[in-house]
Amino acid sequence: VDKKKLISLARGNDPVDLVFKNAKVVNVFTKSIEEGTLAVSDGVIIGMGDYQGKEEIDLKGAYIAPGFIDGHVHIESSMLTPEYYAQVTIPRGTTTVVADCHEIANVLGRKGIDFMLEASETSVQDVFMMIPSCVPSTPFETSGAVLKAEDIQSYLKHPRVKGLGEMMDYVGTVHANKDVLKKIDSFSEKVIDGHAPGLIGQDLNAYVLAGVETDHECVEPHELIEKIKRGMYIHLRQGSQTKNVLDLLPGLRPEFYQRILLCSDDLHPYDMRHTGHIDHNIQLMIQAGFDPIQAISMATINSAQCYRLYKRGAIAPGYIADMVIFEDLNHLQVSQVYKNGKLVAKDHQALFDASFKTNQHVTNTIHLSDKALDFTMRLKDDLVWVIGLIKNNVSTHKIKEKVVLENSVFHCKNNPGLLKLAVIERHHKTGNIGLGIVKGYGLKHGAVAMTVAHDSHNIICLGDSDEDMVLAVKEIKSMGGGIVLVSNRKVIGNLQLDVGGIMSSKSADYVIDQLRNLEDHIKTMGLNPEIEDPFLQLAFLSLPVIPHLKVTDLGLFDVDDFKVIPMEVRENL
Amino acid sequence: VDKKKLISLARGNDPVDLVFKNAKVVNVFTKSIEEGTLAVSDGVIIGMGDYQGKEEIDLKGAYIAPGFIDGHVHIESSMLTPEYYAQVTIPRGTTTVVADCHEIANVLGRKGIDFMLEASETSVQDVFMMIPSCVPSTPFETSGAVLKAEDIQSYLKHPRVKGLGEMMDYVGTVHANKDVLKKIDSFSEKVIDGHAPGLIGQDLNAYVLAGVETDHECVEPHELIEKIKRGMYIHLRQGSQTKNVLDLLPGLRPEFYQRILLCSDDLHPYDMRHTGHIDHNIQLMIQAGFDPIQAISMATINSAQCYRLYKRGAIAPGYIADMVIFEDLNHLQVSQVYKNGKLVAKDHQALFDASFKTNQHVTNTIHLSDKALDFTMRLKDDLVWVIGLIKNNVSTHKIKEKVVLENSVFHCKNNPGLLKLAVIERHHKTGNIGLGIVKGYGLKHGAVAMTVAHDSHNIICLGDSDEDMVLAVKEIKSMGGGIVLVSNRKVIGNLQLDVGGIMSSKSADYVIDQLRNLEDHIKTMGLNPEIEDPFLQLAFLSLPVIPHLKVTDLGLFDVDDFKVIPMEVRENL
């Protein structure tokens, strides 16, 4: 950018690229609306004043706000690669994201991080990266990679790396685990994201003292206030599964509005397209009676401040010309989006193409042992621990069930309502298979398998027949990862997620359509009608950091005791 | 610091160094008072909770706030070197300053900057440095050094350098002057301080677009709001000469409190000791009815945020344990100050020593030409331009006066009420002497000379007798700089400022006493009784960026026309 030219333009010496006349500009510094003419040139905000433009747009009183910033997101959860992700989220007004590529890093380690940095380099959206801190999330699962402090330090100099991704190992942090502290200290000149659900009191003091600066896991106002008091920035999250905005709203006070950010964390593509992205967080707040300009500030300048994204998140001279236009401040409906001063979306449609550049480092990531798959469940006793689903929740119940065994073997056909869950290691050909029994999902005569299985993204497979389960896993392998539905020995639907087994190389349209088809199919297979998202519900059954009973490739996992346990309730038989 | 140990302490595993019981902690994040026990160890805040201390202090309900930060100060204006400066300001609660060593840099260039960085390294106070951007301030004076962009870039990597000092050349900035932009761009990863009195509208757009982020020169609420709108941080300044806090207060809105900082800019040692420092800004605001916690936030976390001083400016886990203690939130009277967790001041007395380490680079800075000093004022006409003093103001009037000449020469004895002003170049032995006539100062039978003469700090000398003036200048030379008072051919008082001619190598006590003595003396010499600070009034008569008529070593300077002019009103005689 020729600053000399821009300064001259600011003084009004020549026409700028573009002026918006009769604009109502949302000023996030004064929290007020400035009416008048806004000048933009060379991708930069010139300012408000008496400016002439080569192009002049009469906004007729419409609003212009800074482009929105998602303060914490796992792009991989959209199942889209960064460019396609931008195609869906930019039309909602999100011009910048602060992304933590935790998911792909669990599959591919540094190769995964490298891919996300490369793929986002060409994205129309600006993607700043937080480098994953917890790969793997726990030692009780086999992930695709293990990242030590030394492995992630090399990213410190990358211009788009803003810090360390969410430090989920808050137990390790408050116990001053050596590798955890080494990671935090390596990133001490940058921002350290947190993840500390429910942490308060002196343990929270310890966590913050260690260097953690943000948290997006608050679920109650009280917790939010405790964290703000200690200087943390708090994200109000509205994801597909975890929706905290409205619960936290009563805890907000004007005195600390500037410490509040908005984020999505994990959003499915259908939700992004139909419900929205950060615009949805804002709109929810407005509907609940919250001040629109304050909500927009949380989605813009506050995130910029927290993540040290200078000259971004405001409409002021010298700031990046990322702007959203909408008609009604009390009903946020983004009609146009400008990125670097160029119109990039209109009426919720992206005006740009996206593509996936073939990258052999991130495809072909299903590495199964050559051993035959065996899901036989031989038990020493008929009183067993069963995973009780909680509808639309990532937690589960740990329940006792008396099951019917046939020659000491559990079969679903003898136990209506119970399904077999298998987690099959798929990164290192270990042949590890962890097994469990699930109640409340409701599948009949079939199986579902997927490689989106938090956080190690092994293959997770649920079904009532071993044969169907084996077929589903084989189909997963031949697709290079994704979601597969098998009914009565036949594959009846799939979504190929060929990038690390968790993202598609195709567009959002493809992913949304396939996912819808799969959902339609699975609903005909006896699915518990209370389950809103059958695949999301499944994807978290392998996550060993969320209570109470899960399955990893190492076996049935008791989250409260933090160990692998036998299925039989009565041990030492 | 052993973080592992601190984390363990935060969990309450062992006694910390120090706890304050029954404390009312000022929480600058929530803008609330937290009552309870505060733990500190190893110079770091551990947090509030149920902690035991090796030392336990019962505060009996007294308040603890974070140590204050002066957001913009020229330490040299105190005439004290950094360590002695800390001795006066730490007892007022100022544990951190953001200093711009513009004055010493005008005398000594990089050697001056190096000195300030070195001398502040051992100070009890934390001194962060902004590197002077405008040395010299104008081309119409001979400064001790000229600093180009290349000269100041070497400071970018110094850990205590936070940015570029106040960009006074706002005219050059908005005209995109090449060297100005080069300086700004060199520091683009850091903070760029501004100085733009009265700048608004599209010129302000241009100035901000160039990269300037702060301003401490606002005098009216309207101007403050215009600057906040464009994303600047604004300092409320309360200096010895320029006092803006109360004028600006009506312009503050809760929506942008977080963009407001407090600063002193230029304070004389007497004022610092008797009126206060940043505590005085806060106290003024409180007296005017402003919320004390918001005022304290402006003096702490806001400055930390602006200048990117992380883990500073708040009492929260992991923050530096800089703390002030006071009894009454509505009448700020700092009783104790802790720096890095140690008590360093009590009842306005510093509990630490200070010293000046002899440094030959910054002493012996008076370099006069060997030519005899000649202040003869030969005029072609008796209608001349005279500098009309405005009491207690750095501006002057440009007035016409008919004077009595004797053989075409002006003598004070023939012109009662008028004094001769001489500015004698003292850096490069050029022999330059600029002359002018001053009305309204009121000195009789004597002369005053000083090397504090903004911004180039040549020797400025005012008197009614050439002989006294010559004697005063010679005394200045033999002292190595300072302030000298001559009456009837005798030196009757002096203050040696041997460091660059602008700071003393001695303590605040010495400087304050000497200055008081000088003031007492000069008041007996016919000084206009309306002048509150005769030396400050004189020091600005050489500053060619403040209207209307000044004298530099190059001659009589018309600030409005921005050029040297003849003394005679009727040119081309």
Side-chain angles (χ1 to χ4, degrees), chain B residues 369-383:
Chain B
S369 156
D370 297 329
K371 277 194 297 186
L373 291 163
D374 181 1
F375 303 136
T376 307
M377 213 176 258
R378 191 169 300 276
L379 296 168
K380 296 178 191 154
D381 189 36
D382 62 357
L383 187 66

Side-chain angles (χ1 to χ4, degrees), chain B residues 65 76 87 231 240 325 395 449 473 477 506 510 533 537 552 566:
Chain B
E76 304 97 306
Q87 264 193 332
S240 286
I325 295 177
S395 300
V473 172
K477 181 175 161 62
K506 301 198 178 69
Y510 167 81
D533 188 328
Q537 186 98 44
T552 79

Side-chain angles (χ1 to χ4, degrees), chain A residues 3 10-11 27 29 34 48 50-51 174-175 185 202-203 205 210 228-229 231 233 256 305 308 310, chain B residues 3 10-11 27 29 34 48 50-51 174-175 185 202-203 205 210 228-229 231 233 256 305 308 310:
Chain A
K3 201 189 257 184
R11 300 193 76 214
N27 190 308
F29 298 115
E34 283 184 88
M48 296 194 69
D50 182 22
Y51 292 108
V174 304
H175 285 89
D185 289 343
Q202 296 185 180
D203 275 356
N205 286 351
I228 293 278
K229 268 187 188 168
Y233 282 90
F256 56 76
Q305 189 112 41
R308 307 176 193 173
Y310 302 114
Chain B
K3 200 189 257 183
R11 299 193 77 213
N27 190 308
F29 298 115
E34 285 184 87
M48 296 194 70
D50 182 21
Y51 292 107
V174 305
H175 285 91
D185 290 342
Q202 296 184 180
D203 275 357
N205 286 351
I228 293 279
K229 269 186 188 168
Y233 283 91
F256 56 78
Q305 188 111 41
R308 307 176 192 173
Y310 302 114

Side-chain angles (χ1 to χ4, degrees), chain B residues 293 324 426 473 565-566:
Chain B
I293 300 180
V324 300
R426 60 102 168 177
V473 172
I565 59 168

Side-chain angles (χ1 to χ4, degrees), chain A residues 368 373 375 424 459 461 469-477:
Chain A
L368 290 179
L373 290 161
F375 303 136
I424 304 112
I459 300 172
C461 183
M469 288 170 74
V470 168
L471 178 56
V473 173
K474 286 187 173 165
E475 178 71 7
I476 286 278
K477 181 175 160 63

